[in-house]
Amino acid sequence: MQQISAHALGLGHSDSLAQGSAPALTTLDPTPPLRGLSRRRGPSPNDLPLPDIDQRMRDLRTTPTPTVMTFFPHPQEFFSGKSRPALTPITEKAAMISQLGVGQLVLLPFTQALANLTPQEFVEDLLIQQLKVQYISVGKDFCFGKKRQGTVDDLQTLTRPYGVEVHITPHTCLGGERISSSRIRNALAQADLATAEALLGRPYSLSGRVVKGQRLGRTLGFPTANLAIPEDKFLPPHGVYSVWVEGASPVAGQRLPGVMNIGQRPTVQGLSVTVEVHLLHWSGDLYGKSLQVFLNQHLRPEQRFPSLDALKAQIEQDCQTALAALAKTPVGNWG
């Protein structure tokens, strides 16, 4: 493993970076972020990796930096052998932790060798010798080592001889229940965006670069941006959503109203799942741009229409319904 000085380390394998994760990260020592990572605003998920990697690695070896370490693939995915769509894919996670002022993200390959480490080996070989940590922030339910034998109490005991301070963050609850990635997934699976947003502390979003599609929307009078979403991104149910879109406007941070379709487009015999966004009251060329789409409300499930005229009439209705929904939660700039 490349020698990296972590100094202050946030440990965990949470997939969501929800409200329950943020306190553990914000307790890290706020030393200045590395060149190319902004404390105020992280890079767009599609603008990574950062330039000058050799120089960056030299900086990491010599600069004590607030660090988040996570496992890839997720341990659950490793042991089950089944793919596990992510609420926050790696590129999104890197951008988000940068916004919190964390300087570096360490992706630890989760292998059988790592899974076989005893709790003591995990602490001494990895945290102390490799990362040279001085401060650890970790969630109350974090487990580590072979068969998850190590608890946060063990972490404190094993690091104490090395003078490492361990900060344990309590569970964050909503509605009397602990906030967890599982709760967020369940809410999204039911298209319950309000609950998912309350749990996350932000709207759930999809990020991707605009690529060329079949241009069917343009022929119907509703041009759409076809987004290339990471294959491991967790998608909510197929259907139509009102959304706010960032990245289309030349004004940094401006969010524009839109309507999004996730699905296979059964009316036109679509075979693959696509994510398409139509911006309302806006026109322009979006090809090649990176967009972040914030989900607002699930408007209706995907359905097959008897004709293109019927589909066009429904899209017109969807646009009006989306505008009404977005007007109740004015986040963007539109009129």
Side-chain angles (χ1 to χ4, degrees):
M1 176 179 175
Q2 180 76 50
Q3 186 67 58
I4 297 176
S5 174
H7 180 61
L9 181 69
L11 266 176
H13 43 71
S14 172
D15 175 36
S16 62
L17 284 183
Q19 294 187 67
S21 305
L25 300 185
T26 54
T27 59
L28 297 177
D29 183 17
T31 54
L34 293 174
R35 181 172 55 254
L37 282 178
S38 166
R39 179 186 301 274
R40 295 181 180 176
R41 184 177 182 81
S44 165
N46 292 286
D47 288 339
L48 298 172
L50 300 171
D52 197 359
I53 297 300
D54 290 341
Q55 180 60 49
R56 176 172 167 75
M57 293 308 299
R58 286 194 292 272
D59 290 342
L60 293 179
R61 290 195 294 269
T62 59
T63 306
T65 305
T67 300
V68 168
M69 185 176 78
T70 190
F71 305 101
F72 185 81
H74 191 282
Q76 182 177 327
E77 185 174 351
F78 175 83
F79 286 115
S80 69
K82 299 178 181 179
S83 61
R84 184 176 185 270
L87 295 173
T88 313
I90 295 301
T91 50
E92 288 185 26
K93 185 172 292 185
M96 291 175 67
I97 68 167
S98 175
Q99 292 175 7
L100 292 171
V102 177
Q104 59 183 330
L105 172 64
V106 173
L107 298 179
L108 193 63
F110 197 88
T111 63
Q112 191 61 55
L114 178 63
N116 287 337
L117 290 179
T118 66
Q120 183 172 353
E121 290 170 335
F122 182 88
V123 169
E124 294 181 351
D125 297 348
L126 182 62
L127 302 185
I128 303 301
Q129 295 183 22
Q130 297 266 19
L131 293 175
K132 303 186 183 303
V133 297
Q134 300 172 30
Y135 176 93
I136 298 172
S137 182
V138 67
K140 183 178 180 180
D141 61 347
F142 179 73
C143 295
F144 64 101
K146 188 174 183 178
K147 296 182 179 180
R148 295 170 54 86
Q149 294 173 340
T151 66
V152 290
D153 291 333
D154 295 323
L155 184 63
Q156 288 181 313
T157 299
L158 291 169
T159 57
R160 188 175 295 119
Y162 301 96
V164 176
E165 179 183 352
V166 177
H167 176 82
I168 301 174
T169 60
H171 292 156
T172 303
C173 296
L174 182 70
E177 295 183 40
R178 177 182 162 231
I179 293 177
S180 67
S181 295
S182 296
R183 284 188 69 187
I184 296 168
R185 287 170 180 272
N186 289 338
L188 289 172
Q190 299 173 45
D192 185 356
L193 300 183
T195 297
E197 180 173 343
L199 293 168
L200 281 165
R202 63 182 185 277
Y204 190 63
S205 66
L206 307 177
S207 298
R209 196 174 299 278
V210 179
V211 297
K212 291 188 180 296
Q214 294 182 334
R215 303 174 71 90
L216 176 63
R218 186 175 299 277
T219 64
L220 295 175
F222 300 94
T224 60
N226 193 44
L227 293 185
I229 303 295
E231 292 184 2
D232 61 340
K233 177 69 173 180
F234 184 92
L235 294 178
H238 292 183
V240 179
Y241 297 80
S242 56
V243 297
W244 291 107
V245 181
E246 186 172 324
S249 169
V251 179
Q254 184 182 41
R255 295 181 183 178
L256 303 174
V259 60
M260 176 182 70
N261 183 79
I262 300 176
Q264 293 180 294
R265 301 163 298 158
T267 304
V268 294
Q269 290 77 49
L271 299 177
S272 60
V273 175
T274 61
V275 176
E276 299 175 290
V277 181
H278 171 66
L279 291 176
L280 302 165
H281 304 323
W282 187 91
S283 63
D285 185 7
L286 294 175
Y287 286 123
K289 287 191 175 183
S290 296
L291 304 182
Q292 186 169 13
V293 181
F294 299 87
L295 278 65
N296 168 262
Q297 185 174 315
H298 179 243
L299 304 182
R300 64 173 177 85
E302 184 177 45
Q303 61 189 99
R304 182 191 298 271
F305 294 92
S307 66
L308 289 181
D309 286 340
L311 173 59
K312 180 177 179 180
Q314 182 60 56
I315 294 176
E316 290 177 345
Q317 181 59 53
D318 292 339
C319 290
Q320 295 305 312
T321 305
L323 283 171
L326 294 167
K328 297 176 184 178
T329 54
V331 178
N333 297 286
W334 59 285

